[in-house]
Amino acid sequence: AQSVAQPEDQVNVAEGNPLTVKCTYSVSGNPYLFWYVQYPNRGLQFLLKYITGDNLVKGSYGFEAEFNKSQTSFHLKKPSALVSDSALYFCAVRSNTNAGKSTFGDGTTLTVKP
Amino acid sequence: NAGVTQTPKFQVLKTGQSMTLQCAQDMNHEYMSWYRQDPGMGLRLIHYSVGAGITDQGEVPNGYNVSRSTTEDFPLRLLSAAPSQTSVYFCASTSWEPGNTIYFGEGSWLTVV
């Protein structure tokens, strides 16, 4: 069975500092990894994804994520956090061996303080 | 470009009432699913469908029913609402190709009193 772990329920950073939101996964076959962001009272919005190729993936709003196959991780990063980045972040995995089924982590609340 | 459309956005039900949450997508996606989101619980899969006429249960299917008569529509039915079904519901769709993005609706806030 495939799974996703987001080990931190909450991440707090100061505006202007770099941020990291952690994600590890377990999957059979090739992993396809996604990050989504959810603002209050809204649906989930796609940020970025890793399919194949370069391990560093760049996405929306200045976010990037690094795929590490040996550590089975896909951490979300941003060099300089903004207060407006405060939101709930979800990591998700799909696999070519599980009929495309999606598995989501429990989410990490990011709070960026001025 | 509508994407995934959910209705209603807000609903209050009395215990025992039934209702249907509507979900429609215009991207010709094979794969559609319903999640519920409760505080501290992340997203939990209720039911999903891999194509018209095919549905299956997710993690928390009890009290919910689905059907998929067309590719576009995937309604979620609450058979006899209970306070434990107070939650936010999200419909999602994607294609078979695992590298394709999963698209979400804006959510339906349901309160059962």
Side-chain angles (χ1 to χ4, degrees):
Chain A
Q2 63 192 37
S3 63
V4 174
Q6 292 181 241
E8 300 155 317
D9 291 337
Q10 186 131 10
V11 171
N12 298 314
V13 298
E15 187 173 33
N17 283 0
L19 70 87
T20 299
V21 182
K22 295 180 180 177
C23 172
T24 59
Y25 66 90
S26 174
V27 71
S28 301
N30 297 328
Y32 299 80
L33 296 152
F34 303 80
W35 275 103
Y36 288 81
V37 59
Q38 185 183 29
Y39 298 103
N41 302 319
R42 300 297 303 276
L44 277 71
Q45 298 176 30
F46 169 73
L47 271 182
L48 51 79
K49 65 181 176 183
Y50 171 82
I51 301 176
T52 188
D54 195 347
N55 289 343
L56 185 64
V57 178
K58 294 187 183 295
S60 307
Y61 313 121
F63 283 93
E64 57 190 29
E66 186 167 11
F67 171 64
N68 187 317
K69 186 173 183 178
S70 63
Q71 296 186 2
T72 61
S73 66
F74 190 56
H75 301 331
L76 181 69
K77 301 181 179 183
K78 188 173 183 181
S80 179
L82 299 173
V83 172
S84 58
D85 292 330
S86 298
L88 181 59
Y89 291 80
F90 288 96
C91 180
V93 67
R94 301 182 77 187
S95 165
N96 61 335
T97 63
N98 198 7
K101 184 179 176 181
S102 310
T103 301
F104 286 82
D106 288 339
T108 298
T109 300
L110 173 67
T111 302
V112 182
K113 297 183 178 178
Chain B
N1 188 12
V4 179
T5 304
Q6 278 182 245
T7 56
K9 190 164 180 76
F10 300 100
Q11 184 72 49
V12 179
L13 282 179
K14 294 183 178 179
T15 297
Q17 285 185 318
S18 62
M19 78 157 297
T20 299
L21 300 177
Q22 301 291 347
C23 177
Q25 53 93 7
D26 61 359
M27 297 170 281
N28 203 31
H29 285 161
E30 306 90 352
Y31 203 103
M32 296 185 74
S33 50
W34 276 102
Y35 295 88
R36 61 178 287 174
Q37 184 180 30
D38 302 295
M41 301 289 286
L43 294 169
R44 292 187 291 170
L45 182 64
I46 304 171
H47 285 286
Y48 66 98
S49 169
V50 299
I54 306 169
T55 64
D56 206 348
Q57 297 181 351
E59 302 173 66
V60 289
N62 292 341
Y64 306 96
N65 207 351
V66 292
S67 60
R68 185 98 179 267
S69 56
T70 67
T71 300
E72 295 78 18
D73 299 301
F74 190 45
L76 178 72
R77 297 182 187 84
L78 279 71
L79 308 171
S80 177
S84 61
Q85 293 179 303
T86 294
S87 188
V88 184
Y89 292 84
F90 290 99
C91 180
S93 80
T94 187
S95 71
W96 272 108
E97 171 54 49
N100 280 4
T101 301
I102 309 154
Y103 294 88
F104 284 85
E106 284 294 301
S108 297
W109 274 253
L110 177 67
T111 301
V112 182
V113 298

